[in-house]
Amino acid sequence: MIIAVDFDGTIVENHLPKIGKEFPFAVECLIRLQQEEQHQIILWTVREDELLDQAVEWCEKRGLVFYAINKNNPEEKAQGSRKLKVDLFIDDLNLGGIPEWELIYKMIKAQKFSRNYEEVYRSAFKVQEKAFLKRNFLLRLGTLFAEFH
Ligand SMILES: [Mg+2]
């Protein structure tokens, strides 16, 4: 798969123009997706020029080398704001935010992209039914409380 990943707010905490603290396992998960699963990872960020270089360098120092940066492939000329032709975006601006990196990794590995996280938990992670039901009950209780609040 071709996967586009955002930098600020996704790989690291968003402190643009500074580079924030890494989210746990972000780099490790991306490297594993490249190496174990042969996915092509594209960096897709608003960063440009020096700020972009800093982010790329930050990643490379940690062993994360992108297939392409802000474009579809290494040969393509910089393409401005055109949407990338990718299979998946990992971005903190996703509706509902993004899950933790461990979950992102497992979802991609299991090819489970359901927006229904309950389903993902159940099918991809083999969380025991009991634990799921308990969690689901608490969620429902929370929803109920919110409705009457
Ligand atoms: Mg972002």
Side-chain angles (χ1 to χ4, degrees):
M1 270 201 316
I2 303 172
I3 302 169
V5 63
D6 174 41
F7 186 71
D8 299 282
T10 299
I11 294 176
V12 297
E13 290 173 7
N14 190 356
H15 296 298
L16 246 176
K18 287 184 184 166
I19 294 179
K21 199 174 147 208
E22 183 193 347
F23 285 110
F25 310 116
V27 171
E28 188 192 324
C29 286
L30 287 166
I31 291 173
R32 285 176 68 172
L33 288 170
Q34 286 176 324
Q35 292 178 352
E36 296 169 9
E37 308 291 314
Q38 310 295 314
H39 294 304
Q40 291 180 327
I41 313 283
I42 295 175
L43 180 64
W44 185 233
T45 171
V46 293
R47 285 176 177 258
E48 293 176 315
D49 307 321
E50 200 181 315
L51 292 181
L52 177 61
D53 293 343
Q54 287 167 4
V56 170
E57 198 178 299
W58 185 95
C59 292
E60 286 183 356
K61 264 188 191 166
R62 288 157 180 80
L64 175 59
V65 180
F66 296 102
Y67 169 70
I69 295 162
N70 284 348
K71 53 188 178 181
N72 283 297
N73 55 66
E75 292 77 34
E76 191 183 58
K77 288 179 186 168
Q79 57 154 3
S81 64
R82 243 180 65 222
K83 190 170 178 175
L84 292 176
K85 296 184 199 88
V86 298
D87 301 304
L88 188 72
F89 283 93
I90 305 174
D91 196 304
D92 61 307
L93 293 182
N94 180 41
L95 179 66
I98 56 168
E100 290 173 353
W101 273 96
E102 212 181 342
L103 181 53
I104 292 173
Y105 173 78
K106 287 178 181 172
M107 285 171 83
I108 294 172
K109 194 152 175 153
Q111 303 277 324
K112 297 276 181 190
F113 306 118
S114 172
R115 292 289 175 258
N116 184 345
Y117 285 179
E118 313 303 334
E119 191 187 302
V120 171
Y121 272 112
R122 266 206 290 196
S123 59
F125 309 103
K126 298 185 176 74
V127 173
Q128 287 181 345
E129 190 72 7
K130 218 173 163 184
F132 169 77
L133 288 173
K134 190 177 165 192
R135 188 169 169 273
N136 204 26
F137 172 74
L138 291 172
L139 277 175
R140 280 167 196 267
L141 204 67
T143 311
L144 201 69
F145 178 76
E147 276 174 14
F148 289 101
H149 193 63

